[in-house]
Amino acid sequence: MKIGVFGGLFDPPHIGHLIIAQHVLEEFHLQKILFVPSGNPPHKTNYSTYEHRYVMTELAVEDNEMFAANDIEREFTEKTYTIEVIRKLHAQTEDEFYLLIGSDQWHEIETWKDPEELFRECRVVVMRRPNYDISKEARFFDRIMVSTAPLIDISSTTIRAKIRKGLSVRYLLKPAVYSYIKANGLYTV
Ligand code: ATP
């Protein structure tokens, strides 16, 4: 099977994540996309707990049978590297993995652990994001697949900032995620 792996903080998961994931699923004929919230390194407090982020991710994908939340990073309490997540997934199945990353992440790929190894272990799909061009000169450019997913100017940072200011984020989130954030008073301070 061709499986998409979509990692991120998902703090919170927003409709931008869902719109581009659905597009990539169809564009590359994937059978499933795993949404993998990143682990919870200790001594860091500037993001929500793993539990909140995982539950919101589950709520975001629950009505799409092609999407699934995956908790492989739940036990990762140190800084996690994508290559380790892909290796761990590979240890579980024979599937072919397609790693989904936004163009902001693509800019940082040189700083990732073992990028050469990562490209051997999986295919990498890059989705365009405002303010982050996909430079053709970059070292691994000929190894990536650039998605035709629409440019969507939504980020979790903007959503958190809006909530802090008391502005509405209602249409930027799945209703279940929106309700969860309200019920738990997330991002208000
Ligand atoms: P933050 O603003 O907190 O950095 P984010 O909106 O970038 O959050 P993440 O959870 O960090 O969300 O993103 C997970 C993955 O989704 C990353 O690869 C990121 O590049 C990608 N991504 C997030 N939002 C978009 C978007 N609007 N368009 C394309 N890719 C996106």
Side-chain angles (χ1 to χ4, degrees):
M1 293 226 289
K2 289 158 70 167
I3 309 289
V5 178
F6 196 10
L9 259 184
F10 297 123
D11 192 19
H14 49 72
I15 57 163
H17 293 125
L18 300 170
I19 294 167
I20 54 171
Q22 182 64 33
H23 185 101
V24 169
L25 181 93
E26 291 167 0
E27 185 179 9
F28 296 98
H29 309 287
L30 308 182
Q31 275 78 45
K32 196 172 248 323
I33 293 187
L34 307 177
F35 286 65
V36 188
S38 52
N40 224 10
H43 322 302
K44 280 200 180 176
T45 51
N46 55 347
Y47 52 79
S48 310
T49 63
Y50 181 85
E51 226 28 65
H52 278 319
R53 293 182 293 108
Y54 183 75
V55 172
M56 288 190 285
T57 305
E58 275 194 314
L59 292 172
V61 302
E62 67 183 353
D63 61 355
N64 186 336
E65 75 272 16
M66 309 293 264
F67 290 169
N70 180 289
D71 69 351
I72 201 161
E73 290 207 37
R74 184 188 294 277
E75 307 304 333
F76 286 17
T77 52
E78 297 302 327
K79 184 168 166 36
T80 51
Y81 296 102
T82 306
I83 182 65
E84 288 162 9
V85 175
I86 295 286
R87 281 198 191 118
K88 210 168 163 192
L89 287 169
H90 261 149
Q92 295 174 356
T93 80
E94 298 277 287
D95 295 322
E96 186 182 3
F97 291 112
Y98 286 64
L99 180 69
L100 278 58
I101 59 172
S103 52
D104 55 318
Q105 295 296 310
W106 163 245
H107 270 250
E108 308 203 338
I109 197 117
E110 289 283 356
T111 67
W112 287 22
K113 190 179 175 194
D114 294 338
E116 286 283 354
E117 180 70 11
L118 185 70
F119 281 100
R120 271 194 292 277
E121 294 273 340
C122 64
R123 290 163 181 264
V124 177
V125 177
V126 181
M127 292 94 59
R128 292 177 307 129
R129 269 191 108 164
N131 308 320
Y132 292 94
D133 288 344
I134 303 179
S135 157
K136 291 193 169 58
E137 283 76 53
R139 180 152 69 112
F140 297 104
F141 181 74
D142 57 350
R143 317 269 286 274
I144 60 172
M145 295 176 290
V146 178
S147 171
T148 58
L151 206 53
I152 297 177
D153 197 1
I154 300 175
S155 70
S156 303
T157 303
T158 312
I159 291 171
R160 294 192 301 269
K162 276 180 170 261
I163 295 172
R164 239 183 348 261
K165 290 182 197 153
L167 299 172
S168 176
V169 292
R170 182 171 189 170
Y171 300 115
L172 301 173
L173 301 161
K174 287 290 293 289
V177 175
Y178 178 74
S179 302
Y180 184 90
I181 289 172
K182 284 202 115 177
N184 289 278
L186 301 184
Y187 313 124
T188 50
V189 284

